[in-house]
């Protein structure tokens, strides 16, 4: 049986999308006590844990406990869904090839934080989101799937973020399904999908 441990820091709408898509989420771990996603997990009878990064003197000490908790569930996949911690190379190595992240930009543009604000400031006309394997370099691992949306006149950060988020929910579930079906192939840093399903979504709706 495959299983997915989801790591969150906040609201948990991507977690909800994974649950709604029938992904076998076996545990949800948050580094933030009271994160909205914990309540979502609890409502679905999924075990939750909080490992507060602030309780540890170093990133490594935090990750040691985090990894021990993740490993208790022996997950097929670790899915970062709004998990707002930079992780060390050692942690990434432990889950190499079986850790995914959803990022709110069309990578490699706008790695890091405040992606929607920066996209608006840059005047880009197309924005979106990416699901990628996690590698030691921030937001730079092999890209599994991307969704593009228009940037429209009069957009605010909130409007643009909501438009992108709708697509995050679509593509993250799709990417996790492909992973669990063992259909993702990574070669020379690029991901293809066995069966040739489309690895992009263009949604022009406002
Ligand atoms: C999502 O937009 C996700 O892409 C982003 O945080 C939000 C979490 O929302 N992640 C990052 O910025 C990671 N660098 P959610 O808690 O409702 O899923």
């Amino acid at each position: 049986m495959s299983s997915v441990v989801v790591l969150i820091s906040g609201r948990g709408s991507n977690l909800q999308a994974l649950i709604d898509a029938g992904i076998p989420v076996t545990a949800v771990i948050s580094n933030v006590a009271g994160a909205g996603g914990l309540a979502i997990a609890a409502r679905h009878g999924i075990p939750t844990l909080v490992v507060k990064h602030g309780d540890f003197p170093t990133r490594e000490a935090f990750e040691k406990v985090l990894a021990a908790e993740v490993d208790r569930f022996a997950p097929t996949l670790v899915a970062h869904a709004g998990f707002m911690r930079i992780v060390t190379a050692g942690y990434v190595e432990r889950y190499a090839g079986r850790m995914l992240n959803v990022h709110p930009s069309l990578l490699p543009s706008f790695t890091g934080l405040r992606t929607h604000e920066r996209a608006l400031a840059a005047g880009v006309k197309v924005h979106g989101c990416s699901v990628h394997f996690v590698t030691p370099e921030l937001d730079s691992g092999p890209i599994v799937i991307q969704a593009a949306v228009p940037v429209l006149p009069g957009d605010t950060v909130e409007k643009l973020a909501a438009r992108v988020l709708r697509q995050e929910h679509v593509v993250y579930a799709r990417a996790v399904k492909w992973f669990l079906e063992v259909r993702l192939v990574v070669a020379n840093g690029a991901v293809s999908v066995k069966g040739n399903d489309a690895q992009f979504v263009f949604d022009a709706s406002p």
Side-chain angles (χ1 to χ4, degrees):
M1 266 294 278
S2 57
S3 78
V4 179
V5 169
V6 179
L7 269 56
I8 62 164
S9 300
R11 179 178 55 188
S13 72
N14 277 289
L15 165 68
Q16 180 77 66
L18 295 179
I19 295 170
D20 290 347
I23 300 298
V25 179
T26 48
V28 173
I29 305 180
S30 173
N31 66 315
V32 177
L38 292 169
I40 293 174
R43 271 206 299 282
H44 288 85
I46 298 166
T48 61
L49 286 159
V50 176
V51 183
K52 285 191 252 173
H53 59 275
D55 287 351
F56 300 90
T58 61
R59 225 176 256 287
E60 288 77 8
F62 163 64
E63 290 175 354
K64 193 168 171 214
V65 172
L66 179 65
E69 295 295 357
V70 170
D71 291 350
R72 284 206 293 129
F73 298 92
T76 323
L77 175 73
V78 179
H80 288 191
F83 182 59
M84 305 305 278
R85 297 301 298 168
I86 290 179
V87 288
T88 66
Y91 172 85
V92 170
E93 199 48 51
R94 190 182 187 100
Y95 303 106
R98 56 188 183 106
M99 186 157 58
L100 292 175
N101 180 45
V102 61
H103 181 77
S105 78
L106 289 173
L107 292 171
S109 291
F110 310 120
T111 59
L113 299 174
R114 298 182 297 100
T115 55
H116 308 304
E117 185 184 324
R118 288 157 59 213
L120 284 176
V124 298
K125 306 305 173 211
V126 176
H127 185 43
C129 56
S130 310
V131 178
H132 64 92
F133 281 98
V134 178
T135 55
E137 206 188 333
L138 181 69
D139 301 329
S140 299
I143 295 168
V144 176
I145 184 168
Q146 293 184 302
V149 302
V151 180
L152 299 171
D155 264 354
T156 59
V157 169
E158 292 70 28
K159 280 187 191 169
L160 185 55
R163 191 176 305 127
V164 171
L165 190 66
R166 273 206 310 272
Q167 300 307 320
E168 291 187 38
H169 299 160
V170 172
V171 293
Y172 206 10
R174 201 169 293 177
V176 169
K177 273 196 176 152
W178 285 336
F179 180 91
L180 296 179
E181 291 166 358
V182 198
R183 290 175 61 199
L184 298 181
V185 180
V186 186
N188 303 318
V191 183
S192 57
V193 183
K194 287 183 205 163
N196 295 321
D197 279 2
Q199 288 171 271
F200 55 83
V201 172
F202 298 130
D203 189 337
S205 53

